[in-house]
Amino acid sequence: MSSLLLSLSSKASLRKLPLRCHTLRMFSFSTTNPYLLYRVINYGSSMDDIHVTSNIHYFDPVKEDEVIVRDKVLPMELRKGCLVGMSHGWGVFKAVCDYNEYKAIYVTDYYNPCGSKSVKSIPLHPLGKPIAIQQQAITNAAMTCSPDQSKDFAVAVKCLGPMINFNRPGGTHKDSGSVIFKTPFQYFDQSKVMYSKRDEKFYTPSFGGHFLVFWDSFFEEDMTGSELVELRFCNVPKLTQSEWELLDSCSKTVYLVESPSGQRFLIKWYAQNHQPGDSMTFLCRGTKRFMVFRELEEDKRTMCYTEDIGDLCIFLGNNEPFCVKASSFPGLNPNSIYFAGDGFGVYDIATRKPRSFRPKSPSAFSSASLLPYWIPPMSL
């Protein structure tokens, strides 16, 4: 879980930002490029000041340069806490309220590069009524759609451990505000959740990627629990002993992602984590390899290893994973994975090689407080 580091500074510091950086003001296109939210700098005398504004820094992987949204007013409810998830451009924020007596979970469009000046923050449960999810560490979150698209959106918040919390803030069911399930076995303790638009279900892969557990997104209609599926793998690559030893020395994170056409992929990310005290840099760092498995159309329980996902790009971080077509965003590399977390960079699936980003203004990305949240293309 990444903490949202709240750095206070004077207004004079605003003028020290590199002139080479681009400021996000107006667009001539219908959508933005995918962006990486990597830094938020707040300005004000204190976090209790009425007037606290932020400069929100994004990285554009198409241009490999910085984009800044300046002077965005920081809502009072988001001033104490941390960003714990991102889906459809909406942040899932764990906030401390009422003199640190309890925590609230919000979804907010505060981090949307195209959001209006009037920030929307929606509590996922009645304020003042603490629930168990608020006290847990959160691995990520997923949403059925943006709250701008439908008031009947649903949110799944996956905790570190067996707990997953479903919320439908606009639902009419008596229990729709907060439904908690526990994932089976310990294999899901560090897993991440995603939403399948094709199936209208929330999915969570197990730690090793051998199982999937899923829930109907219309959980208010059927609250009987989860369903478990065991996966089969084919065409697994043959590795040398030294290659297996390298992967065994890495941490492994498993993601499930769905393409715009409904094709699903299971991805295993192998990385040698940076050591505590090491400063994070805008480099690929410890990432050693990704393994990509494509779901077979004729057998949804079989995942087949592939080094060709065609025109697609996959974006992995602490956000809900997503895919875009590279041809829709000239400058993106097709058949690639853009990653943020255990390093920052792009991985060529065919050559099996990661590379660090090459930002045009490297000094802008030298901070140790980097946030690993990708934001999908947003409508203007």
Side-chain angles (χ1 to χ4, degrees):
M1 180 181 72
S2 287
S3 295
L4 180 59
L5 302 179
L6 302 177
S7 167
L8 298 177
S9 180
S10 66
K11 287 289 184 181
S13 300
L14 201 57
R15 295 189 291 270
K16 296 179 182 179
L17 290 170
L19 295 177
R20 289 172 292 178
C21 299
H22 301 292
T23 300
L24 186 61
R25 295 291 186 188
M26 297 179 64
F27 296 89
S28 58
F29 303 99
S30 58
T31 63
T32 66
N33 294 328
Y35 285 156
L36 174 69
L37 167 68
Y38 76 93
R39 186 188 304 165
V40 179
I41 303 177
N42 298 305
Y43 298 88
S45 58
S46 74
M47 293 311 290
D48 295 322
D49 192 344
I50 295 177
H51 302 290
V52 177
T53 61
S54 303
N55 282 356
I56 303 179
H57 295 245
Y58 306 90
F59 175 74
D60 182 345
V62 172
K63 299 178 180 179
E64 298 211 19
D65 206 359
E66 187 176 37
V67 174
I68 306 173
V69 173
R70 299 180 186 272
D71 301 325
K72 197 161 187 177
V73 176
L74 180 63
M76 188 66 72
E77 64 268 21
L78 302 183
R79 294 184 186 181
K80 295 181 181 179
C82 56
L83 182 65
V84 294
M86 182 77 67
S87 179
H88 295 275
W90 282 65
V92 178
F93 198 89
K94 190 175 184 179
V96 179
C97 305
D98 288 353
Y99 306 102
N100 298 328
E101 289 185 3
Y102 75 95
K103 297 179 180 179
I105 308 294
Y106 289 89
V107 291
T108 176
D109 67 349
Y110 179 70
Y111 305 98
N112 182 344
C114 304
S116 65
K117 291 185 178 180
S118 178
V119 176
K120 300 173 186 175
S121 296
I122 303 170
L124 294 187
H125 56 87
L127 295 180
K129 295 182 179 180
I131 57 175
I133 190 79
Q134 301 161 18
Q135 310 304 323
Q136 306 295 319
I138 293 173
T139 59
N140 83 318
M143 300 169 64
T144 54
C145 65
S146 162
D148 288 330
Q149 295 176 301
S150 172
K151 293 182 179 179
D152 194 32
F153 71 96
V155 186
V157 180
K158 178 65 181 69
C159 294
L160 184 63
M163 187 182 298
I164 186 166
N165 184 215
F166 297 99
N167 300 270
R168 191 181 295 276
T172 58
H173 193 281
K174 63 181 178 67
D175 292 322
S176 62
S178 178
V179 179
I180 297 175
F181 292 119
K182 289 190 176 181
T183 53
F185 314 124
Q186 69 274 20
Y187 307 119
F188 295 88
D189 284 1
Q190 300 181 50
S191 60
K192 297 180 181 291
V193 64
M194 61 82 70
Y195 175 69
S196 168
K197 186 177 180 180
R198 186 189 76 188
D199 297 344
E200 297 185 322
K201 298 181 186 297
F202 288 104
Y203 284 88
T204 295
S206 65
F207 174 73
H210 296 288
F211 298 92
L212 286 179
V213 61
F214 61 90
W215 298 264
D216 195 318
S217 64
F218 300 99
F219 52 84
E220 61 185 28
E221 297 176 4
D222 180 8
M223 299 190 206
T224 58
S226 59
E227 295 185 50
L228 185 69
V229 172
E230 184 174 2
L231 298 177
R232 295 181 290 269
F233 292 85
C234 66
N235 197 31
V236 178
K238 295 181 179 179
L239 303 180
T240 64
Q241 182 66 27
S242 61
E243 288 175 323
W244 279 119
E245 289 175 354
L246 174 62
L247 296 186
D248 286 341
S249 70
C250 295
S251 64
K252 179 172 63 176
T253 309
V254 180
Y255 297 84
L256 193 68
V257 62
E258 189 171 276
S259 74
S261 66
Q263 175 71 68
R264 274 205 292 264
F265 300 92
L266 186 139
I267 301 116
K268 298 181 180 182
W269 180 357
Y270 296 88
Q272 291 178 332
N273 300 85
H274 70 280
Q275 296 299 315
D278 287 355
S279 60
M280 289 293 292
T281 58
F282 217 66
L283 301 172
C284 59
R285 293 185 61 86
T287 292
K288 299 303 179 183
R289 181 163 181 164
F290 289 90
M291 286 191 182
V292 181
F293 298 86
R294 184 196 304 268
E295 179 187 72
L296 293 184
E297 291 185 8
E298 61 272 19
D299 182 1
K300 305 300 184 185
R301 299 189 178 200
T302 298
M303 296 285 180
C304 192
Y305 177 79
T306 182
E307 295 180 355
D308 183 9
I309 63 171
D311 187 38
L312 294 174
C313 300
I314 296 173
F315 289 81
L316 301 181
N318 283 10
N319 52 282
E320 181 181 8
F322 63 89
C323 295
V324 301
K325 291 184 177 180
S327 56
S328 299
F329 303 92
L332 289 182
N333 298 327
N335 198 37
S336 295
I337 297 172
Y338 287 78
F339 59 92
D342 284 318
F344 296 77
V346 57
Y347 181 87
D348 187 305
I349 296 174
T351 63
R352 303 188 296 279
K353 292 182 178 179
R355 75 161 176 85
S356 300
F357 293 125
R358 306 185 186 101
K360 295 182 175 64
S361 48
S363 61
F365 303 95
S366 59
S367 169
S369 56
L370 299 177
L371 300 173
Y373 294 95
W374 289 103
I375 297 176
M378 305 299 294
S379 299
L380 301 171

